Amino acid sequence: HDYQLIHDELQLMKEKSYHEETSELFDTEELVLPENWDFITKRIHYMNTPDLKNIKNIIEDINSGRYAVPMFQRSFTCKRKEIEDLWESIFQGFFIGSILTWKSKEEFQKIPIHGAKKFNPDHEIILDGQQRITSLYYSIIHPDTPLPDQRSMVFFVNLKVLLDPNGRSSEIVDSEVYDKAKKKGLLSKERQFAEKKFPITAFHNRDYLIWLHEFKEYLKNIEKYDPEYSDIYYEKIMGILDNVWNDYKIPVIQLSEFISLDDVAEIFEKINSKGIGLSVFDLLNAKFHLFGISLRDKWNQTKSEYSNIEELHKNIAGFEKYIIQGMCLYKKRYIRRKELFNLSDAYMINDKFEKKEFLNDWKKISQSVSEAIEKLTSQLEYGFGAVTSNIIPYTIMIPVLAALLCEIKDKKDEPKCMRQIEKWYWSTVISDAYSGSTDSKIEKDYKEMLEWFDDDKEYPTIVMKQREEITNYDFSSIRSGTSSYKAIMCLISKNDARDFLTDKPISYNKLDDHHIFPRSKEKDYNCKISIDSILNRTLIDRKTNREYIKDNKPHEYIMKILTDQTITESDLQERLQPHFVSKKAFNHLLHDEFNEFTDERQIDIKNCLRDLIM
């Protein structure tokens, strides 16, 4: 199953890679054939047929140094119970998963399998299955070596349970702390024979043959078993142990050395969806260890220095990649994954890695990421109003903004450049431009922005397009969760919208994205557009929403607010103005006129956006 999954994924990647390559070679309007088509054949990936290996083979491979663990893998973390469960599955003949290896040409910092002494120069790295084969190796070869964050453990097969038809499978394998097992005498064969416990370590070098022979003699001579019965006992156990050691097979799939790191990362995401994902950042961390740099340490330092990064990363998975993406844009003008993996090449001068320059850029981009977050969340001039992470239109804008901010820091006309960034930002988020494949779009936008900084007449394509289309833009069909939906919510926030009831700044920790005309009364409005349209939604304090607006029609809750707050209609209309509720729109609210209200609101939103992008 894993083999077929990987095979199919490679075929999809080949097609995807072809389209990415040709998108760079071909003009979007005119198809021009390249002179050399070799790049296509280079992308054809070949895979070996899965090799079915028994446990004996796998242990021998580890001892011979065939496997190494790259530093992008999490360290060996299995607990004693997980190792017990693994062996119990094997003794019952259950499938424990396949092993995925890669005979990589990539340079990573690597370590041997936990407990092993070495790996060969001609080694394979473990991509998937490290925890399983390390558990096997540890329990057979090195139980006197401490488990991570634990004491040394020794594992036993309870023969009484194993041979009992009614025995509980969860009791087939148990374990003891190594020192305690030594004190109890469980490391001696006599005690093991007496308690009917077979040590997993006896699999090493097929010592189980000697152990079993001596066990049979123990049963005959010490426990006075009938010789015929002890022979049967011996043969049954021998059959089971032989099966586990020689006949139980684990599929080992080896990826070709010609497969790119980019492809490997994507494959890993597909087959390891239930485990710990293999991130771009983890891969790069392993590569940069070769240059004496721990990206993980640098990331932790960045979080400690910038509280807004620390706070935002809690809500955005993989946030640490944004630093790398910002650096890649700033240094190479690219953001696609294959360029990220080769970021170190941009810091190689005369075959020497310029560590100081890299660290300076990391510091510079980290500061700019913090500044980008400030602008995203700010309601002030040049701010973008995303007061909570869930209304940021595109989080991928963070590294792009950071790189652009780095570019303009040394420019004399920085305020002009900030106005240009503002126009580009609102043009992008209101158009849902990054809702699909984004890397090539971001790279194109970034290069066009740099040209615009230097020449005011070189407008980016996205800005020109939105200036032409904004008049005819229809916001009525905008769906919740889209970039344009969130962008309008950010505009409301940026307008310093106040609560309908209290006229206080909205408590964004208790925020409701609320219908202005309640959904429950939809049939009464004769709606021409969806009741869920952004034109009928705004940011309301949760308490106001639930205690006042609730299922009331607009004229009902407005009258209630006017009465309880002892304010005039004019005062309340002024309070609602930042929500894009003009005097005309407010009048339609008073008369529960949904269609007229949303029409007026669309005009106000368009005017606001037109001012921002023109």
Side-chain angles (χ1 to χ4, degrees):
H1 176 271
D2 283 351
Y3 177 83
Q4 190 61 47
L5 181 62
I6 296 168
H7 180 275
D8 294 345
E9 188 59 31
L10 285 172
Q11 296 306 309
L12 290 173
M13 284 180 202
K14 186 169 62 177
E15 296 171 13
K16 174 185 174 185
S17 191
Y18 162 75
H19 290 304
E20 286 181 353
E21 187 74 19
T22 52
S23 70
E24 294 181 3
L25 294 173
F26 303 152
D27 186 273
T28 54
E29 301 296 328
E30 181 181 0
L31 184 67
V32 181
L33 297 179
E35 295 180 1
N36 189 348
W37 287 89
D38 286 349
F39 69 87
I40 294 179
T41 57
K42 289 177 182 177
R43 288 207 175 90
I44 298 176
H45 302 306
Y46 298 98
M47 288 177 60
N48 299 319
T49 302
D51 190 2
L52 296 176
K53 292 193 173 187
N54 58 28
I55 295 175
K56 172 188 174 183
N57 296 147
I58 289 174
I59 299 302
E60 288 173 348
D61 284 343
I62 296 173
N63 278 330
S64 67
R66 178 167 183 168
Y67 301 126
V69 179
M71 288 297 290
F72 56 73
Q73 287 279 31
R74 58 176 176 152
S75 59
F76 179 50
T77 58
C78 278
K79 310 295 185 185
R80 62 191 290 184
K81 185 62 171 67
E82 293 171 309
I83 298 175
E84 289 175 6
D85 290 346
L86 179 69
W87 277 110
E88 285 164 358
S89 294
I90 291 171
F91 270 91
Q92 294 180 88
F94 296 157
F95 181 59
I96 62 168
S98 58
I99 308 298
L100 179 64
T101 71
W102 182 28
K103 201 172 181 61
S104 170
K105 288 184 176 180
E106 293 279 355
E107 288 296 324
F108 300 112
Q109 186 178 24
K110 288 157 278 196
I111 58 174
I113 297 288
H114 183 79
K117 295 180 180 179
K118 61 179 181 178
F119 55 83
N120 290 334
D122 188 32
H123 60 267
E124 301 165 35
I125 63 174
I126 303 292
L127 289 179
D128 191 38
Q130 175 217 350
Q131 302 294 323
R132 279 165 280 154
I133 67 171
T134 305
S135 294
L136 297 177
Y137 186 75
Y138 170 83
S139 50
I140 293 172
I141 306 296
H142 282 290
D144 54 340
T145 301
L147 283 169
D149 303 321
Q150 300 178 74
R151 289 177 287 181
S152 306
M153 304 298 301
V154 61
F155 296 84
F156 299 94
V157 178
N158 189 323
L159 299 178
K160 290 183 288 187
V161 176
L162 183 66
L163 298 177
D164 182 356
N166 298 315
R168 297 180 61 182
S169 59
S170 60
E171 296 175 356
I172 291 174
V173 178
D174 56 32
S175 58
E176 285 278 0
V177 174
Y178 188 87
D179 290 340
K180 288 184 178 180
K182 191 173 183 179
K183 287 181 181 178
K184 291 180 178 180
L186 279 171
L187 301 187
S188 71
K189 289 182 181 178
E190 291 76 11
R191 184 64 183 272
Q192 293 164 3
F193 296 158
E195 296 199 13
K196 311 299 185 293
K197 288 192 172 184
F198 170 77
I200 297 290
T201 52
F203 276 124
H204 185 41
N205 294 328
R206 295 193 74 190
D207 286 350
Y208 68 92
L209 299 177
I210 300 172
W211 191 94
L212 278 177
H213 177 74
E214 294 179 1
F215 180 51
K216 182 173 70 169
E217 294 303 311
Y218 169 85
L219 293 177
K220 289 179 181 179
N221 301 323
I222 304 302
E223 297 200 3
K224 305 302 181 181
Y225 273 52
D226 180 274
E228 184 179 352
Y229 184 75
S230 61
D231 286 344
I232 295 173
Y233 202 90
Y234 167 84
E235 289 171 3
K236 291 291 185 184
I237 299 172
M238 176 65 79
I240 293 172
L241 297 184
D242 270 342
N243 180 72
V244 167
W245 185 243
N246 295 308
D247 300 328
Y248 182 88
K249 301 295 176 64
I250 300 172
V252 179
I253 305 169
Q254 185 192 82
L255 297 181
S256 165
E257 59 186 322
F258 300 107
I259 294 177
S260 72
L261 184 59
D262 186 15
D263 289 347
V264 166
E266 196 157 345
I267 291 169
F268 197 97
E269 290 173 1
K270 301 292 183 183
I271 68 170
N272 203 37
S273 59
K274 294 183 180 179
I276 303 297
L278 176 63
S279 72
V280 169
F281 190 84
D282 291 329
L283 287 162
L284 286 170
N285 188 40
K287 292 191 73 170
F288 277 91
H289 264 290
L290 296 172
F291 308 118
I293 296 173
S294 170
L295 295 186
R296 184 62 59 187
D297 289 346
K298 296 303 300 177
W299 167 240
N300 289 332
Q301 181 183 345
T302 294
K303 287 191 295 181
S304 67
E305 290 178 358
Y306 301 102
S307 58
N308 58 356
I309 292 179
E310 166 70 27
E311 186 61 32
L312 201 56
H313 105 276
K314 296 175 183 176
N315 299 318
I316 300 176
F319 191 97
E320 58 268 34
K321 185 174 74 171
Y322 292 159
I323 306 289
I324 296 295
Q325 288 177 318
M327 290 181 73
C328 202
L329 267 180
Y330 180 65
K331 192 73 174 179
K332 302 175 70 176
R333 308 295 187 248
Y334 288 99
I335 199 170
R336 64 191 65 189
R337 190 161 58 178
K338 67 180 181 181
E339 297 293 340
L340 299 183
F341 287 141
N342 294 313
L343 178 59
S344 58
D345 293 348
Y347 293 91
M348 300 297 293
I349 300 178
N350 297 325
D351 295 327
K352 181 182 178 183
F353 181 78
E354 295 296 323
K355 182 177 178 179
K356 184 176 180 180
E357 183 181 352
F358 177 86
L359 294 177
N360 285 339
D361 282 353
W362 176 281
K363 183 176 181 180
K364 188 186 299 183
I365 291 294
S366 294
Q367 182 180 350
S368 293
V369 166
S370 178
E371 292 173 4
I373 295 171
E374 288 178 9
K375 294 191 180 300
L376 275 174
T377 57
S378 173
Q379 297 166 284
L380 304 177
E381 186 180 17
Y382 302 135
F384 301 125
V387 289
T388 60
S389 60
N390 63 333
I391 63 169
I392 295 176
Y394 290 121
T395 57
I396 189 58
M397 300 292 271
I398 294 173
V400 187
L401 283 171
L404 289 172
L405 292 174
C406 270
E407 294 282 1
I408 69 175
K409 276 184 180 176
D410 298 329
K411 293 184 179 292
K412 294 180 181 179
D413 50 358
E414 185 175 344
K416 182 210 76 170
C417 293
M418 272 308 308
R419 287 193 294 275
Q420 291 172 320
I421 289 175
E422 183 181 50
K423 296 177 192 299
W424 163 78
Y425 176 87
W426 289 111
S427 297
T428 301
V429 298
I430 203 63
S431 64
D432 290 318
Y434 291 171
S435 59
S437 178
T438 61
D439 290 351
S440 58
K441 293 177 184 176
I442 288 173
E443 291 164 0
K444 181 175 181 289
D445 282 1
Y446 190 78
K447 292 167 187 175
E448 289 185 349
M449 285 299 294
L450 298 186
E451 293 172 3
W452 198 21
F453 290 155
D454 294 332
D455 185 347
D456 291 350
K457 296 180 181 179
E458 293 292 331
Y459 292 96
T461 304
I462 187 66
V463 175
M464 291 296 295
K465 182 179 180 182
Q466 291 310 304
R467 286 181 173 184
E468 293 172 1
E469 295 181 356
I470 188 65
T471 301
N472 298 321
Y473 212 93
D474 182 10
F475 294 111
S476 64
S477 59
I478 289 177
R479 304 185 312 277
S480 175
T482 61
S483 168
S484 47
Y485 183 98
K486 293 177 180 179
I488 293 173
M489 285 299 181
C490 288
L491 286 176
I492 293 170
S493 165
K494 185 175 166 61
N495 283 344
D496 191 27
R498 301 286 174 133
D499 182 55
F500 280 23
L501 176 66
T502 64
D503 195 30
K504 293 180 180 179
I506 295 173
S507 173
Y508 291 104
N509 290 327
K510 298 178 180 178
L511 196 65
D512 270 3
D513 172 358
H514 179 66
H515 294 82
I516 298 174
F517 281 72
R519 173 195 281 273
S520 60
K521 299 291 194 288
E522 180 178 7
K523 293 181 180 179
D524 297 340
Y525 307 140
N526 191 29
C527 302
K528 294 181 180 178
I529 63 173
S530 170
I531 194 75
D532 298 321
S533 166
I534 184 63
L535 298 177
N536 185 42
R537 299 181 79 96
T538 193
L539 300 173
I540 304 288
D541 184 87
R542 184 169 300 171
K543 185 175 181 181
T544 299
N545 180 16
R546 296 181 179 182
E547 294 184 5
Y548 274 77
I549 298 177
K550 216 173 180 180
D551 294 328
N552 293 315
K553 290 184 177 181
H555 86 274
E556 294 172 337
Y557 66 71
I558 285 175
M559 290 300 109
K560 189 175 181 183
I561 290 173
L562 291 175
T563 301
D564 289 356
Q565 294 292 302
T566 61
I567 57 175
T568 65
E569 289 184 5
S570 178
D571 291 334
L572 185 57
Q573 189 278 314
E574 187 176 341
R575 186 180 297 178
L576 269 56
Q577 183 79 34
H579 295 265
F580 295 110
V581 179
S582 64
K583 289 183 179 179
K584 287 185 179 179
F586 184 76
N587 186 58
H588 294 311
L589 266 184
L590 288 173
H591 294 86
D592 298 332
E593 296 168 341
F594 177 86
N595 295 316
E596 293 81 358
F597 170 80
T598 53
D599 287 345
E600 282 297 325
R601 202 159 183 245
Q602 175 150 247
I603 292 171
D604 287 344
I605 293 172
K606 279 186 182 180
N607 288 338
C608 178
L609 282 168
R610 186 180 292 107
D611 291 343
L612 288 171
I613 66 177
M614 289 298 184

